[in-house]
Structure formats: structure tokens, C-alpha cells
Amino acid sequence: YYRWQESKEKERLRAIEILERALTLNPKHVKAMIQKAIALSLLKRYDEAEQIADQALTLSGNDPDALRLYAKFRSMRANQYSAEASSLRQTECTSSTSTETRYDGIYEVTTTTCYPPSPADLERANQLDAAAAGLREKARSAMEAAIKAARGTVDRYLIQADLHIWSGHYDDAQQTLMDAVKLYPESLEAQDALVDLYAKTGQGVKAEEQQAIARKLIHTTAAPMLRLAWDQITKTAWQGAKGRLAAARQLDPVDARIPAYLGVAYEEEGKTKEAIAAFQVALALEEARLLLDEPSVKSGTPMTRDPLDFGLAIQSYFHLAHLLAQAGKQKEGLDQYLASLRYEPRMLLGWESWQMFTAMLPDQQPEKGVVTIAPVNAATLIAEAHLNAGKLLASMGRQDEAIQQFSDAARLGPQRMAGIPMVGNAQGDTNFGGLAGAPASEASFYLAQSLLAKGDTEGASRALYEVGRTIPEHLRSDLNQLNMAIARAHSQSQQQVQEQEQEPYAGMSQEQRPYADRQNQQQRKRQQVVLQHFASQAKVVPELVGIWEMSPDNKFLPLKKTLTIESNANFTIVSQSEGSTLRGKVAVQQERNRAQGGSNTSNGQIMMCDESGEITTMWYEFVDRNHMKITDMDGTNYEAVRR
């Protein structure tokens, strides 16, 4: 497991503490003494390290492990001397920058001064190199003595391989270790040494294959073959991946990851039937594994477990649902998503923040700007199930159920932190680690869209709380439009409420009401005069005459209208969403422009005076004879098409 570390220095000091406890129990424990010498050397406490190492060598006799450790210490000290000698031979340069004012301006001047190594430095470097050579000779002598002492054991091969590696003879080291595992196949140390050498020399595939052999000495695991299969799948090497998975099945036939990876390979190949079968096998194995340690008699309360126990099963349900829905079986696909949600109440308290490593499969892509994939938390996984269930329900026309699923996904996202400060610390502990990512934000978007369509602008606005941080890129433009639509709809609803709440006699006494009546009558007369005057000036151009279907360019605005303009300058606007009709007269001011192709296009403004005497203006521009763009006074843009 990973653990927190403060610094290398503190780690080494802690190691020395543990070694001193060991030496308290046995002051002549040679391996503990040499390990302490190595730790002291890394802390640059060289005198103490040298003293303990020599003391250990005196006590060790012909113990191969002790000689090997002593050689490692001497080799490390030699490398430290060589590094120090190299540093002494370097030319040191320093730079300083200053500003100078000259007759033609102000200049920034950089001065660089270099100091070559002094004769004393070079002499010291030569001494260090000589000391390093002497230490390497001591290390080699110790190794050779260890080889002789270990004759007839696997240690002889291990020490000989180390000696080859020190000399840079990697091929010889590899052959020596191959001989070791052939003669001593049960030696875990020999197996691990060969794995390490393969990895260090860039032979990754051989390292994994050898590790598969080595791990069998400890426990059964298909992990090395699965790693190789993962790599093959990401490279679309399907046959190679299937070969690795067949080898993995030989190592551990009940590892559910094997059929899950196979399902991914089949799915990527377009073999839907085979992919469905593979994921069903993976799911069956996972369900069987979960049953093994659960009580045979079921109680009313489900047994809770680590969320990681359900990761692969949930992911298998997701793939099955996707494959079934893709094949046109929406109901069956929906059932898979709903089945995956049955794991949520079986997760331990605080399940939302668990990182779901078990739900990672080779077809997943890293987030934008990230090199490798990382596990999502459990909240994101459950939100994804709700989101996709909601999408399928919406496509099946079950809108109310879809809204409920979108709402369940959204509650796992930023809404949970509304009004709560997000707090973290240097150790990585936060109070927001359980927030779901992109699926919750996407569900919030669809929830807001559905609520807006129902006229609930307040609910739609709440649904979009801080979703912009994690919303998928393809929805960002739509999110901006939806926010504008919500703001517009909210403004209109507020205006309607104010108009409904206005009463002609609000706050008036009985004596004041006749006076208010007279004012209203005078206002109506003035409006009639305005309308009559406007009607006398009204005119229309022939190309505008007709019935126009107006649709806002913001697809989330429920503002579709039908505009009718008659040749006698009468107009009618029917608003479908508001269920209202407006009538009156129009006066058109027209401009003509010559387009690049030589044809004439016209644009201008339409002034409309309705029956109440209120005058509004719209601007129009023809795209062609039956299509124009209209901008309302409030800035809403419409596409108008002649019926």
C-alpha cells in the first residue's frame, strides 16, 4: 500500500531506529549492522558508517549474505566518491543582472563569471577517484569471497549476477539468473531477481511473464497476464490479447477480470454476441464470489461491504446495458442499469469517496490533459448508472421516471456542497472527495432542461449549481444556452406575476376610485389615438407578406411563434408557449444591400403597434425569399421560415 512520507531523511532516520532495536536484541547481527551503515552513509554520516561496516566484516566470517551486503555498501561509497570527484572538476559559473542607463536608453546587462577548478580541487578529485577505485576493489573481493562461500547454493548465482551487473555485463547476468531459476525453480529471490533484471533492461513482456511464474510460488494470480492483455487491447492487438487472457485463465480460472477484459476485446471488434456472453460470465463470477462469505440466511438488512467489492460487477452491468441498448433492446439495457444500482445500499457508510480501482477496464480513456487513466470514485459510478438509466427512460417516452433518475444522479454532484465551503489539506484529506464527476453534471444538465420545459425555472436554476467544472466538453455550448434560456424564462415569469398581482384599485379609497377610472379612460383614448395615427402611417413591403414560423436560435427557449403579416399592414403574433395572441398594425422601414454574388438582399426594421397602443420593434434580414433572421427587442434571435 502507498503511505505518506515526509522526507527521505526522516525515512532513513526511522530505518536507523528500527535497526538499533534489532541490534539491542542482538548486538552482533551482521546484516543489521551493514544496513545501518548504508543508512548512515545516505545521511552523509560517513565516519560512523565506515566504522560499523568494518566491524560487521570482521564478525561476518564467510556468511555470503553479509559479504554481499558489505560489497553493496562499499560500491555505494565508491559511487559517492566518484560523484564528489566529478563535481570538483566542474567549472562553476555565476550570473548577475543589472540595469544601466546609457545615452540611447536603458539596458539590462547580464554579467557571467566562471571559476575553473583550482589545483587543490583537482588534487582532491584525484584522491577521491583513487579511494573509489580502492573501494570497488574491496567490493569485488567481498563478492568473490561470497561466491566461493555460497558454492552449491542459489546464492552463488545471485551474487555472481550482481557482480556481472556491476561490471555492466547484463547479458551474462541474465544468463546466470536464468540458470538459477532453472536449477532452483522454488527460489523466490532468484525469480524476483530475474524479473527485476528484465524490467531494468527494457524487457517488459518477459518481466511480466516471469512474474507470473514467480507469483505462483506465493499465491494464485493472473495479474501479470492481465497487464499484458491490457496493453495488447489498447494497441488493438486482439489475437495477442486473447492469447494472454487464455494464459491468465490457466493461472486463475475464477478471476472475473479475465472474461471482462475478453468482453472489452470482443466489443471493440464489433462482436456483440460474444461480448455479451463474456460480460455475463464476468458478472456471474463476481456474484458467486460475493456470495461465498455472506450468510446463507438473508436478513432484512443487506450486508454492507467495501465499495471495491462491487466495482467490476457494476462495470459489467454497464457494458451489458450499452451492448443491449445498441442492439435496439432498450428495455433489457435499462434493466441492466437498474440492476447495477442495487449495489448502492450494500456499500459501507461513506462509500461515495472510495476510488473504484476494480471498475477500471482497458477501454476507458484518460481525462482531457491527463496521460493515464485514473479510477473514478464510487459516487461517479453510481451517478453514471442513474444518468444512463435516465437517458434510456427519456428515449422510451417515460419522462417523469427519467427526471427522477436524473435527479438521483444530480444529488451526488456539486448540489451536495451548495453553501458549504470546500476544505482540504496537504495530506489530501477533503470534505468534497465524495462528489460525483461528469455523469452527475451531465444529469444535472438534463434535469434542468426537463424542469425548464415544465416551467420550473427556479428548480432548473438550482439543478445547474456549479456543474460547469466537470460537465463534458460537448455540452459546454449547450450549457451556456440553457443558462440564458433559464434567465430569460425567469424574467418573463416574474413579469407575468407582477402583471397578475397589479390591481387597478390597489391601495385606493372609495373616493379615489372614480378619479382612477377617469385616468384609465383617458389612457385608453390616448392609446386609440396612437393606434389611429400609426395605422395612417402603416405600410408593408410585399416580400414580408405571409405566414412566418419563428423559432429561437436558443433551442432551450420555449418561444416558438407564428407571425402573420397581411398586405393591408395588419399583423398577428401567436405565441405557442404562452398561449397568447397579439394583433395590430406594422410599419416597415426597408434597406437594400448588394451581396458579394451580385444579388440584392434586404433588411430593415418592423415597427408594430398592438391594439393597446404599445409599440415594439423587430429587426429582420432576408437569407432568401422564404427564410429570414429576426431579432426581437429583448435580443432574442429567431429563424423565420415562410409557411
Side-chain angles (χ1 to χ4, degrees), residues 539-599:
K539 62 177 181 178
V540 67
V541 294
E543 60 199 84
L544 280 173
V545 174
I547 301 174
W548 299 90
E549 300 294 350
M550 297 169 56
S551 301
D553 61 358
N554 186 327
K555 60 187 177 184
F556 302 108
L557 281 172
L559 297 175
K560 289 190 175 182
K561 299 179 180 180
T562 301
L563 169 64
T564 302
I565 299 178
E566 300 175 18
S567 56
N568 60 0
N570 286 338
F571 82 89
T572 305
I573 294 181
V574 178
S575 176
Q576 299 171 14
S577 60
E578 297 172 2
S580 62
T581 302
L582 199 65
R583 294 183 176 85
K585 288 286 186 178
V586 297
V588 178
Q589 295 181 1
Q590 184 185 35
E591 299 175 7
R592 284 198 174 272
N593 297 314
R594 184 167 293 279
Q596 291 181 352
S599 61

Side-chain angles (χ1 to χ4, degrees), residues 456-470:
D456 183 2
T457 56
E458 294 289 345
S461 181
R462 284 195 301 271
L464 294 181
Y465 177 77
E466 287 198 4
V467 300
R469 292 185 296 111
T470 55

Side-chain angles (χ1 to χ4, degrees), residues 46-57:
Y46 300 127
D47 291 342
E48 293 177 69
E50 293 282 352
Q51 184 180 355
I52 293 174
D54 287 336
Q55 184 183 352
L57 184 64

Side-chain angles (χ1 to χ4, degrees), residues 543 590-604 620-625 627:
E543 60 199 84
Q590 184 185 35
E591 299 175 7
R592 284 198 174 272
N593 297 314
R594 184 167 293 279
Q596 291 181 352
S599 61
N600 285 329
T601 61
S602 64
N603 56 41
Y620 73 91
E621 179 181 358
F622 271 92
V623 178
D624 56 46
R625 182 176 178 277
H627 179 201

Side-chain angles (χ1 to χ4, degrees), residues 415-482:
Q415 289 183 23
R416 295 180 62 198
M417 295 292 293
I420 302 173
M422 293 189 180
V423 180
N425 60 28
Q427 281 71 43
D429 302 318
T430 72
N431 67 341
F432 54 88
L435 292 186
S441 294
E442 187 174 350
S444 298
F445 173 86
Y446 296 130
L447 176 62
Q449 183 181 344
S450 301
L451 293 174
L452 178 62
K454 286 176 169 285
D456 183 2
T457 56
E458 294 289 345
S461 181
R462 284 195 301 271
L464 294 181
Y465 177 77
E466 287 198 4
V467 300
R469 292 185 296 111
T470 55
I471 199 162
E473 285 298 320
H474 70 277
L475 287 177
R476 288 201 173 276
S477 176
D478 286 349
L479 177 62
N480 292 334
Q481 287 197 45
L482 183 57

Side-chain angles (χ1 to χ4, degrees), residues 171-188:
D171 290 341
D172 293 338
Q174 182 172 315
Q175 186 58 54
T176 301
L177 290 173
M178 288 169 67
D179 292 341
V181 297
K182 183 178 179 181
L183 291 169
Y184 303 94
E186 299 301 315
S187 170
L188 186 60

Side-chain angles (χ1 to χ4, degrees), residues 162-224:
D162 278 350
L163 198 55
H164 286 315
I165 291 169
W166 288 7
S167 303
H169 302 151
Y170 295 107
D171 290 341
D172 293 338
Q174 182 172 315
Q175 186 58 54
T176 301
L177 290 173
M178 288 169 67
D179 292 341
V181 297
K182 183 178 179 181
L183 291 169
Y184 303 94
E186 299 301 315
S187 170
L188 186 60
E189 191 176 2
Q191 296 280 0
D192 283 345
L194 185 54
V195 170
D196 288 343
L197 182 63
Y198 281 142
K200 286 174 183 174
T201 54
Q203 302 177 74
V205 173
K206 283 187 176 181
E208 295 288 5
E209 291 172 341
Q210 192 65 39
Q211 192 171 82
I213 298 169
R215 292 308 97 186
K216 287 180 72 174
L217 300 176
I218 305 172
H219 59 85
T220 302
T221 177

Side-chain angles (χ1 to χ4, degrees), residues 469-520:
R469 292 185 296 111
T470 55
I471 199 162
E473 285 298 320
H474 70 277
L475 287 177
R476 288 201 173 276
S477 176
D478 286 349
L479 177 62
N480 292 334
Q481 287 197 45
L482 183 57
N483 272 314
M484 288 190 288
I486 291 171
R488 170 71 187 275
H490 180 72
S491 176
Q492 283 188 334
S493 64
Q494 290 290 99
Q495 185 177 350
Q496 289 172 358
V497 169
Q498 289 173 1
E499 289 173 357
Q500 290 170 1
E501 289 177 349
Q502 265 186 342
E503 294 183 9
Y505 301 116
M508 294 185 186
S509 63
Q510 289 293 334
E511 293 79 11
Q512 291 173 319
R513 290 187 181 186
Y515 176 73
D517 281 338
R518 286 196 298 274
Q519 279 190 321
N520 289 334

